[in-house]
Each structure stands twice: as structure tokens, then as C-alpha cells.
């Protein structure tokens, strides 16, 4: 009996793969041995990609993968492979893009892909399939038999489809089109944001409603760097989204933290999973917004999100797990929902009238006859609506929330995926540096430093970065996103407090990015794993910012810091070639526009002087320029590499070295002159 004629997921480190280890399907991990077996057997591969927090993944697992009859069909006709999309984001990106090409619509999870075994190219893809035919959608067993029949009797058609998909995934660049300037791209982006924004609820129009921190970070930076005539209009779009996301159903008003997305058009009812990546990006964006507009409610979102992360997601190693499931007790959202009488019985006679209005309990139930709590009103609006003193409302809300949270925490909790991901933790470290400096919260800063330290000690091994950490094991070669997000986090670390050791590590990381991922004139490939059939260059954002764009952003600042003109020239070429795609779909390339802005407008300011004198410089420059320029404060007693010590020589009095490009440097000897120069 072949070792492949059984389920082989039990020894996998991924919590998601372990969830499928007891199913009758002969699941295999994605490995060279499994791929070679499929090739030898000449059986199509059934690839199922999901993640542990995914409601529809659990649903299909229960309905189809746990069904013995369905499993028998799968085992007979296919080599069945399970992939955790968080472990193998390179495979997920490739086959999600293939899904779009095959179906002309976006995919999702579970992603179900049928693959020709010799080329590893897909010829059919879908997402969730029901166990029985419904609403014109074929059942999963019907799909299985149809695909098997096509593979056996129309193999030539299968090969033709694979060739077509390959050509579409890696198209030949068309260099005949005119490049777009940054002015044109910014104008197109503003126009597209205006055309697609929801004027009532914020965010992009329609449903489902996804938060867009990557897009709105670019919108905020356009205001900061370009000051267009439409700045006020753009700011209103930003604020409408920020207020709706934090006040209605996307945010957990008891524990803190954001859910994945909302299923309706008004941010009312979420899909109840919570992802580390979403919360890291949203925390960073709210910190930027609060730094810009000085609104305490925006800063408070960062504080509440950090509380949830610390309470529920932080691991003993100092890094954070990847997600909380949408389901508990086999029901979506079960952990978060309340009956009205539950709340009334928990609260005092004085608290109940406040809670009833504050959390939307006087309105109709919003999820399966129960309430997912909203917090529509600011405390000022709530006090006015209730005709109560503002102080009374302010003093009442936190005890009410704590009572409800304590009660909720007694329920069966959603499962946590305790796998730590390098890229997602790096995003969180950047967010914590921003939020910690905004709120003067040393605990946030310490948490950010612990994340970076753990990655350096546990996931950077012999000059190689790994993307996953669980059970004290680092595994899976890192992809571009991991390197890019980590480099950005280290840059935040250096801005907060200089460390020559961390700078050297940052240069090693960027050198690795160029040696492993750079394709001359085109950009950075996402992966260099040999078991991926194609290596496209991904310039678009998805839920995460483009790794290629983040590399450009970081390397741009490093080139200005080190004076590396070669790297700066490479970035110019990539941005010029990418501008064609950006102009065609500006909202999908928000991170690249942001990288373009950073490259052209963000100065690197290095201040050298005695440690005591730098405290004064940092206290004034950080609030004045920290949102728009890269600030680095290097005390005289710090030893720099020779090339940097020549570029930033010691002096008796503090001096700022300002670089807007890699080959330009100005020396300024007063704080006021630095601010005046860079605020022009």
C-alpha cells in the first residue's frame, strides 16, 4: 500500500492542516514527494487552500471532506493536497490569480483548484462547492466527476487551458505605451476614490464591505505630500470610513480589535474572524490619522486594538498568533452575539438605559435574532440623545463594557491559530512603533521591540528568513512580503532608537531581497521556492500591501540614508514601468502610488550629537515631521560602519543631515531651520 493512500496531515505544524488530519480524504501536504507522486500517477491534483479561521472552509470540510462517499470519489480520481494559505502565500497568490483568469471574478477561501500534474498549472478553479446542487450551482461530487471525465477524455483541452493560463499569468511586457507621471497617477487615484466611495457609510461602495487601510494610507499621504485641490474631499472620504469602521459592526466594542470584513453595505454585521494582519494595518493607519488630525477617538482605536492583541493574541515568545476563528460551538459569531434580556439582566437599572441606546439594542436584532453590538454614537452624541450629563455617560460606558466582556469571556472561545507569521508580526511591529509614539505608551514600544528581536533570534537563521514559527520551530522559506514588511519594521525601530546591529541586519535583508527576488527592469518576484510552477511579479495590493511596493518604499529611504545611487536608479526604473499598470487600475495599486510618493517626497533626516542634546531634537522634530519624513537620531557615542561615519561625521554641536535624494545632502544646524526647510 502506497504511503500516499492515507491522510498524511497529522505531523504538519499548521493548525489548519491538523484540523483536516482525521478526515477520510487522503490529504497530502504540498511537497516535492507529493507532486512527483501525482506526476507518476498522471492524476489531476485537487488543491484545496484555506486557513484555520475561515468559516466557509470549516463548512466545506464538514459537508464534503468528512463525507465518506465524497472522500472516496476524491481518493480514487485525484491526488488531494491541502495548503494553509498563511504558510504558503506564494501558492495562494498564484492560484487565486488563476481563479480570476478562469472565472473573471475574484476568488476566496476555500480555494478549490484542479491542476494538471506535470506542469502544475490549473485548468479549473472555484471556491466553496455545496454537497448538493443549489441555486444553479453544481454539487461538489458532480464537479469532481465532471473534472475527472474532462481530464481523462479531453486531455488536449486541459493542456490548451494550462498554456493559456500560463501566458496570462506572465504576460510579455508591452513597452509601446507612454509612461504616466506621478501627477497623472495621483489625479487618477483621487478621481477613482471619489467615484467608488460610499458617500453615506464610507469605504468603497457596495457589499461586502472590506476595510481599506492600504488605500486610505495612500489617500492620507497624498494630502500630506501633494496638497491637491481635492484635499478636503479626500479627507472626508477618509474620515467617513474611519468613523464607520470603528463605531459600527467591524469593531469589537467590548474586547477591541477589528473583524475581517462586513457582509452588508453599512458595516453592520461582520464575518466574525479576526486576523492579525488586518488589525496591524488598521492600527497603523489609525495611528497615522490620529497623528494628522489629533482626534482622540482615532488614537483610542489603537489603544483598544492593542488591548485585544495583548489579551488574546500574544504568544509566550513575544510574537503574535495569526487569527481567531469566526466560529465557536459550530456556529459563526456565536461567541460575540447577545440576547437583549441577557444584557438587561447583567446590568443595573442605571446602566441598562445607557447600554440599550449605546449598543443599538433598541433597534431590531441584526444577526439571526440576536444582537451584534454596535456603538453608533460618540459619547457626546450619546449624552445628548439620553439627556444625561456627559461625565455620567463617560463614567458609565467602561464599567458596562467590562461587565459584558467578563460575561462573554465565560463562553466557549473561538479557536486561535497560534502559528506566528513573520510578515504579519512585522506589520504589527510597525503599527506598535507608530501607536506607541503617538500615545507615549512604552508597553507598545516594548512589544514592538520584542517582536523584532524574536524574529531575529528565531526566524533569521544562517542568513535565511523563515516565514512561520510554531512549537519552537521555524519553517517555510520567507517570501517577498516577509522580507519587505520586516525591513520596514526595522526602519521604524531605527527611527525610534538607533542600533548599528539592526542597521547591519537591515542591509543584509535588503541585499537578500535583491539577490533572491529582483528581476532586472521589472521588479521583485514574490517567491523563489522551487516547487512553485510560475513566479509572477505582483504589483497589485490585496488585503495586504504589495511587497514590491514596500520594498521600493524601504529601499528608497535606505538609498537616501546611505547614498546608494544604484539602488535609487533601479527604483526609478521599476516605478516608471509600473506606472502603466497603476494608471489602468489605480485603486488596486495604492501601495505603488504610495511608494512613488515616498520616493519623491520623503526626506531622510539624520541628526548627530550628544545623547542628551538629541533628546531635545527628537522631542521637537518627531511631532513636527515624523509623519512625513524619515527621522534617525544617532548619538556621537554610537560606532557607525566606516561608510556611514564618513557620511555623518561627528561634531561638537548637533547637526541634521537632510537627503531628499540619494546624491543630495544638506547640513542644517538648528531645529527650526530643519522644520522650516521640510515644511515648505
Amino acid at each position: 500500500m502506497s504511503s500516499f493512500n492515507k491522510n498524511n496531515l497529522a505531523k504538519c505544524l499548521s493548525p489548519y492542516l491538523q484540523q483536516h488530519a482525521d478526515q477520510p480524504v487522503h490529504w497530502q501536504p504540498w511537497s516535492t514527494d507529493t507532486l512527483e507522486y501525482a506526476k507518476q500517477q498522471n492524476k489531476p491534483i485537487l488543491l484545496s487552500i484555506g486557513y484555520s479561521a475561515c468559516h466557509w472552509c470549516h463548512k466545506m470540510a464538514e459537508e464534503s471532506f468528512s463525507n465518506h462517499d465524497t472522500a472516496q470519489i476524491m481518493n480514487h480520481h485525484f491526488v488531494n493536497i491541502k495548503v494553509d494559505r498563511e504558510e504558503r502565500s506564494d501558492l495562494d497568490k498564484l492560484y487565486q490569480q488563476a481563479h480570476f483568469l478562469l472565472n473573471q471574478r475574484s476568488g476566496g477561501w476555500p480555494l478549490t483548484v484542479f491542476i494538471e500534474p506535470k506542469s502544475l498549472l490549473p485548468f479549473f478553479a472555484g471556491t466553496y462547492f455545496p454537497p448538493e446542487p443549489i441555486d444553479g450551482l453544481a454539487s461538489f461530487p458532480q464537479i469532481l466527476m465532471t473534472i475527472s471525465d474532462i481530464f481523462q477524455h479531453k486531455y488536449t483541452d486541459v493542456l490548451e487551458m494550462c498554456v493559456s493560463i500560463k501566458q496570462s499569468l506572465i504576460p510579455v511586457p508591452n513597452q509601446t505605451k507612454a509612461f504616466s507621471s506621478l501627477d497623472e497617477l495621483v489625479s487618477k487615484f483621487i478621481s477613482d476614490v471619489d467615484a467608488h466611495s460610499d458617500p453615506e457609510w464610507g469605504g468603497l461602495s457596495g457589499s461586502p464591505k472590506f476595510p481599506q487601510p492600504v488605500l486610505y494610507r495612500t489617500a492620507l499621504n497624498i494630502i500630506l505630500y501633494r496638497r491637491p485641490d481635492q484635499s478636503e474631499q479626500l479627507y472626508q472620504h477618509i474620515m467617513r470610513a474611519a468613523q464607520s469602521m470603528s463605531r459600527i459592526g467591524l469593531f469589537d466594542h467590548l474586547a477591541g480589535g477589528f473583524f475581517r470584513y462586513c457582509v452588508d453595505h453599512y458595516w453592520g454585521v461582520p464575518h466574525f474572524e479576526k486576523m492579525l494582519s488586518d488589525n496591524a494595518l488598521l492600527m497603523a493607519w489609525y495611528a497615522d490619522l490620529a497623528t494628522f488630525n489629533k482626534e482622540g477617538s482615532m488614537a483610542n482605536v489603537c489603544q483598544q486594538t492593542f488591548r485585544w492583541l495583548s489579551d488574546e493574541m500574544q504568544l509566550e515568545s513575544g510574537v503574535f498568533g495569526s487569527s481567531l476563528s469566526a466560529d465557536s460551538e459550530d456556529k459563526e459569531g456565536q461567541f460575540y452575539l447577545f440576547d437583549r434580556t441577557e444584557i438587561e439582566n447583567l446590568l443595573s437599572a442605571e446602566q441598562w438605559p445607557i447600554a440599550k441606546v449605546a449598543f443599538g439594542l433598541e433597534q431590531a436584532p441584526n444577526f439571526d435574532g440576536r444582537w451584534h453590538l454596535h456603538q453608533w454614537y460618540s459619547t457626546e452624541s450619546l449624552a445628548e440623545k439620553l439627556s444625561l450629563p456627559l461625565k455620567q455617560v463617560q463614567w458609565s460606558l467602561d464599567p458596562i463594557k467590562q461587565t459584558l466582556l467578563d460575561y462573554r469571556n465565560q463562553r466557549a472561545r473561538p479557536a486561535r491559530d497560534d502559528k506566528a507569521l513573520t510578515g504579519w508580526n512585522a506589520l504589527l511591529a510597525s503599527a506598535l512603533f507608530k501607536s506607541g509614539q503617538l500615545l507615549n505608551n512604552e508597553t507598545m514600544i516594548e512589544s514592538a521591540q520584542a517582536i523584532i528581536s524574536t524574529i531575529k533570534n528565531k526566524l533569521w537563521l544562517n542568513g535565511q528568513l523563515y516565514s512561520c514559527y510554531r512549537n519552537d520551530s521555524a519553517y517555510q522559506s520567507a517570501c517577498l512580503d516577509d522580507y519587505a514588511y520586516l525591513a520596514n519594521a526595522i526602519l521604524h525601530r531605527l527611527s525610534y532608537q538607533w542600533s548599528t546591529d539592526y542597521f547591519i541586519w537591515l542591509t543584509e535583508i535588503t541585499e537578500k531581497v535583491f539577490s533572491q527576488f529582483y528581476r532586472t527592469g521589472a521588479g521583485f518576484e514574490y517567491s523563489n521556492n522551487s516547487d512553485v510552477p510560475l513566479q509572477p511579479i505582483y504589483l497589485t495590493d490585496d488585503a495586504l500591501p504589495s511587497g514590491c511596493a514596500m520594498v521600493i518604499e524601504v529601499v528608497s529611504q535606505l538609498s537616501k540614508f546611505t547614498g546608494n545611487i544604484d539602488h535609487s536608479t533601479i527604483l526609478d526604473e521599476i516605478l516608471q514601468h509600473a506606472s502603466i499598470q497603476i494608471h489602468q487600475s489605480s485603486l488596486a495599486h495604492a501601495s505603488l502610488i504610495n511608494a512613488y510618493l515616498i520616493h519623491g517626497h520623503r526626506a531622510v533626516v539624520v541628526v548627530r550629537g550628544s545623547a542628551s542634546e538629541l533628546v531635545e531634537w527628537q522631542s521637537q522634530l518627531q511631532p513636527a515631521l515624523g509623519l512625513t519624513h524619515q527621522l534617525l537620531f544617532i548619538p556621537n557615542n554610537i560606532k557607525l560602519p566606516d561608510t556611514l561615519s564618513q557620511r555623518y561625521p561627528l561634531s561638537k554641536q548637533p547637526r541634521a543631515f537632510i537627503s531628499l535624494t540619494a546624491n543630495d545632502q544638506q547640513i542644517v544646524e538648528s531645529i527650526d531651520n530643519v522644520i522650516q526647510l521640510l515644511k515648505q
Side-chain angles (χ1 to χ4, degrees):
M1 178 178 174
S2 168
S3 61
F4 293 98
N5 291 331
K6 63 177 183 176
N7 188 313
N8 283 315
L9 299 184
K11 294 183 179 179
C12 296
L13 284 170
S14 161
Y16 174 67
L17 297 188
Q18 289 179 0
Q19 289 171 0
H20 296 264
D22 295 327
Q23 292 167 352
V25 178
H26 295 164
W27 289 118
Q28 311 300 320
W30 183 282
S31 68
T32 53
D33 289 343
T34 303
L35 300 178
E36 183 60 30
Y37 173 75
K39 184 177 179 180
Q40 291 173 0
Q41 296 293 307
N42 196 31
K43 280 186 174 183
I45 293 170
L46 193 168
L47 173 64
S48 177
I49 303 178
Y51 59 103
S52 64
C54 171
H55 169 73
W56 288 99
C57 299
H58 297 319
K59 188 172 179 63
M60 193 166 176
E62 179 184 345
E63 294 171 343
S64 295
F65 304 149
S66 298
N67 182 291
H68 284 267
D69 293 335
T70 302
Q72 189 173 8
I73 298 172
M74 295 171 67
N75 296 336
H76 181 72
H77 293 284
F78 301 93
V79 173
N80 304 289
I81 299 180
K82 258 289 172 194
V83 163
D84 182 338
R85 67 109 168 175
E86 296 170 0
E87 286 185 346
R88 293 303 305 265
S89 55
D90 51 352
L91 295 174
D92 185 51
K93 275 184 176 287
L94 178 67
Y95 291 117
Q96 291 285 358
Q97 192 170 0
H99 177 282
F100 180 82
L101 293 169
L102 288 162
N103 297 281
Q104 294 303 301
R105 64 176 184 273
S106 298
W109 300 276
L111 182 66
T112 307
V113 190
F114 295 90
I115 298 172
E116 195 280 320
K118 296 183 178 65
S119 64
L120 299 183
L121 293 170
F123 59 93
F124 183 85
T127 52
Y128 164 82
F129 290 103
E132 304 290 340
I134 184 171
D135 295 332
L137 185 65
S139 71
F140 190 52
Q142 288 173 327
I143 292 290
L144 295 173
M145 296 308 299
T146 300
I147 295 298
S148 178
D149 182 69
I150 290 172
F151 189 83
Q152 291 179 46
H153 300 110
K154 297 182 179 180
Y155 186 64
T156 301
D157 293 345
V158 169
L159 294 180
E160 288 178 357
M161 179 60 73
C162 290
V163 170
S164 175
I165 290 297
K166 181 177 181 179
Q167 292 172 344
S168 298
L169 285 169
I170 304 185
V172 177
N174 184 349
Q175 302 298 346
T176 62
K177 298 178 183 177
F179 300 127
S180 300
S181 68
L182 181 56
D183 285 339
E184 292 174 306
L185 298 179
V186 166
S187 178
K188 180 70 161 53
F189 179 83
I190 293 171
S191 175
D192 287 348
V193 168
D194 193 50
H196 292 90
S197 288
D198 185 331
E200 183 177 7
W201 297 106
L204 299 182
S205 297
S207 63
K209 209 80 157 175
F210 283 87
Q212 302 286 344
V214 176
L215 188 152
Y216 288 118
R217 180 189 180 219
T218 300
L220 181 60
N221 279 341
I222 286 173
I223 295 172
L224 288 165
Y225 289 121
R226 306 290 289 191
R227 301 172 189 169
D229 293 340
Q230 307 94 325
S231 290
E232 180 59 31
Q233 188 175 349
L234 201 55
Y235 178 67
Q236 291 306 319
H237 287 312
I238 291 172
M239 284 303 295
R240 195 174 295 114
Q243 290 170 345
S244 293
M245 289 191 299
S246 60
R247 290 180 181 177
I248 312 179
L250 188 72
F251 195 68
D252 181 351
H253 296 289
L254 299 187
F258 290 90
F259 299 103
R260 181 74 189 87
Y261 65 90
C262 287
V263 300
D264 48 56
H265 72 284
Y266 70 98
W267 304 104
V269 176
H271 191 46
F272 286 92
E273 64 198 61
K274 286 183 176 181
M275 312 295 291
L276 181 68
S277 53
D278 295 322
N279 281 276
L281 289 169
L282 284 162
M283 178 191 280
W285 176 61
Y286 274 93
D288 283 346
L289 186 56
T291 301
F292 175 70
N293 65 17
K294 314 302 181 188
E295 287 205 16
S297 60
M298 302 294 104
N300 191 46
V301 171
C302 301
Q303 184 67 58
Q304 292 181 67
T305 302
F306 178 63
R307 185 180 77 159
W308 166 69
L309 288 164
S310 300
D311 288 348
E312 300 189 34
M313 299 303 291
Q314 192 164 23
L315 308 174
E316 290 183 5
S317 55
V319 286
F320 291 71
S322 62
S323 63
L324 287 184
S325 177
D327 298 358
S328 56
E329 300 180 285
D330 297 323
K331 293 181 181 179
E332 184 181 8
Q334 178 74 4
F335 181 71
Y336 301 99
L337 302 174
F338 283 90
D339 292 322
R340 178 177 162 133
T341 53
E342 272 184 308
I343 295 178
E344 188 171 6
N345 290 337
L346 285 167
L347 301 178
S348 69
E350 293 76 19
Q351 291 175 321
W352 166 243
I354 296 174
K356 181 173 64 173
V357 177
F359 300 126
L361 299 168
E362 83 282 14
Q363 301 173 19
N366 53 28
F367 191 90
D368 199 22
R370 303 174 74 190
W371 278 264
H372 167 55
L373 304 184
H374 298 168
Q375 196 169 346
W376 294 84
Y377 305 109
S378 66
T379 51
E380 293 80 7
S381 298
L382 183 60
E384 183 177 345
K385 188 173 181 64
L386 293 168
S387 300
L388 291 173
L390 177 60
K391 290 291 186 185
Q392 181 180 343
V393 173
Q394 290 173 331
W395 292 338
S396 298
L397 279 176
D398 283 344
I400 290 171
K401 288 182 182 181
Q402 192 61 51
T403 297
L404 299 182
L405 180 62
D406 291 343
Y407 174 79
R408 194 179 81 177
N409 283 340
Q410 297 174 32
R411 298 171 175 172
R413 304 184 70 85
R416 182 180 71 177
D417 189 320
D418 60 358
K419 169 180 78 266
L421 301 171
T422 296
W424 293 12
N425 273 274
L427 287 174
L428 179 59
S430 296
L432 289 170
F433 277 121
K434 289 185 176 187
S435 301
Q437 289 176 280
L438 168 71
L439 296 165
N440 195 26
N441 187 318
E442 194 61 33
T443 304
M444 287 182 171
I445 299 293
E446 290 171 356
S447 183
Q449 291 173 323
I451 290 171
I452 295 177
S453 176
T454 299
I455 293 173
K456 190 173 191 294
N457 294 329
K458 301 290 187 180
L459 287 141
W460 176 257
L461 305 174
N462 300 317
Q464 173 71 44
L465 185 64
Y466 292 86
S467 66
C468 304
Y469 183 76
R470 188 166 188 260
N471 294 350
D472 204 29
S473 297
Y475 63 102
Q476 192 53 54
S477 296
C479 294
L480 181 66
D481 282 1
D482 299 296
Y483 281 95
Y485 302 162
L486 177 59
N488 190 51
I490 297 170
L491 204 53
H492 281 288
R493 165 68 170 80
L494 295 175
S495 186
Y496 175 74
Q497 184 181 49
W498 178 264
S499 163
T500 299
D501 287 344
Y502 274 104
F503 168 74
I504 292 170
W505 184 33
L506 177 57
T507 60
E508 291 173 351
I509 288 170
T510 54
E511 287 168 6
K512 185 75 73 172
V513 167
F514 277 97
S515 65
Q516 288 193 351
F517 302 109
Y518 178 58
R519 189 193 297 169
T520 304
F524 299 91
E525 293 179 347
Y526 186 78
S527 162
N528 66 346
N529 289 319
S530 59
D531 58 0
V532 181
L534 298 173
Q535 298 290 1
I537 291 175
Y538 301 106
L539 298 178
T540 57
D541 303 315
D542 43 37
L544 298 174
S546 158
C548 189
M550 186 68 78
V551 167
I552 294 170
E553 183 177 327
V554 172
V555 174
S556 172
Q557 293 165 87
L558 270 180
S559 69
K560 295 169 189 177
F561 176 61
T562 62
N564 189 327
I565 299 172
D566 291 339
H567 280 178
S568 184
T569 302
I570 288 171
L571 302 186
D572 287 333
E573 292 174 355
I574 295 172
L575 288 169
Q576 188 179 49
H577 285 288
S579 70
I580 298 170
Q581 290 179 245
I582 299 171
H583 196 274
Q584 290 172 344
S585 179
S586 70
L587 299 188
H589 296 85
S591 291
L592 268 176
I593 296 175
N594 193 67
Y596 217 141
L597 289 165
I598 296 292
H599 189 49
H601 291 280
R602 190 175 181 89
V604 172
V605 182
V606 178
V607 184
R608 294 222 70 180
S610 69
S612 59
E613 290 172 314
L614 291 191
V615 172
E616 175 65 19
W617 281 67
Q618 188 164 12
S619 68
Q620 293 192 47
L621 292 182
Q622 191 66 48
L625 302 173
L627 194 57
T628 48
H629 299 288
Q630 185 71 50
L631 306 178
L632 299 165
F633 301 90
I634 308 178
N636 285 336
N637 61 349
I638 293 289
K639 181 173 176 55
L640 293 175
D642 290 342
T643 54
L644 290 183
S645 63
Q646 294 172 19
R647 187 170 173 84
Y648 304 107
L650 301 177
S651 66
K652 293 181 179 180
Q653 300 299 322
R655 293 190 297 176
F657 302 81
I658 302 174
S659 301
L660 276 166
T661 66
N663 58 0
D664 164 61
Q665 187 184 83
Q666 297 183 60
I667 300 176
V668 180
E669 297 186 345
S670 79
I671 296 172
D672 290 341
N673 287 345
V674 173
I675 295 172
Q676 183 179 0
L677 177 66
L678 292 176
K679 284 207 165 185
Q680 290 177 352

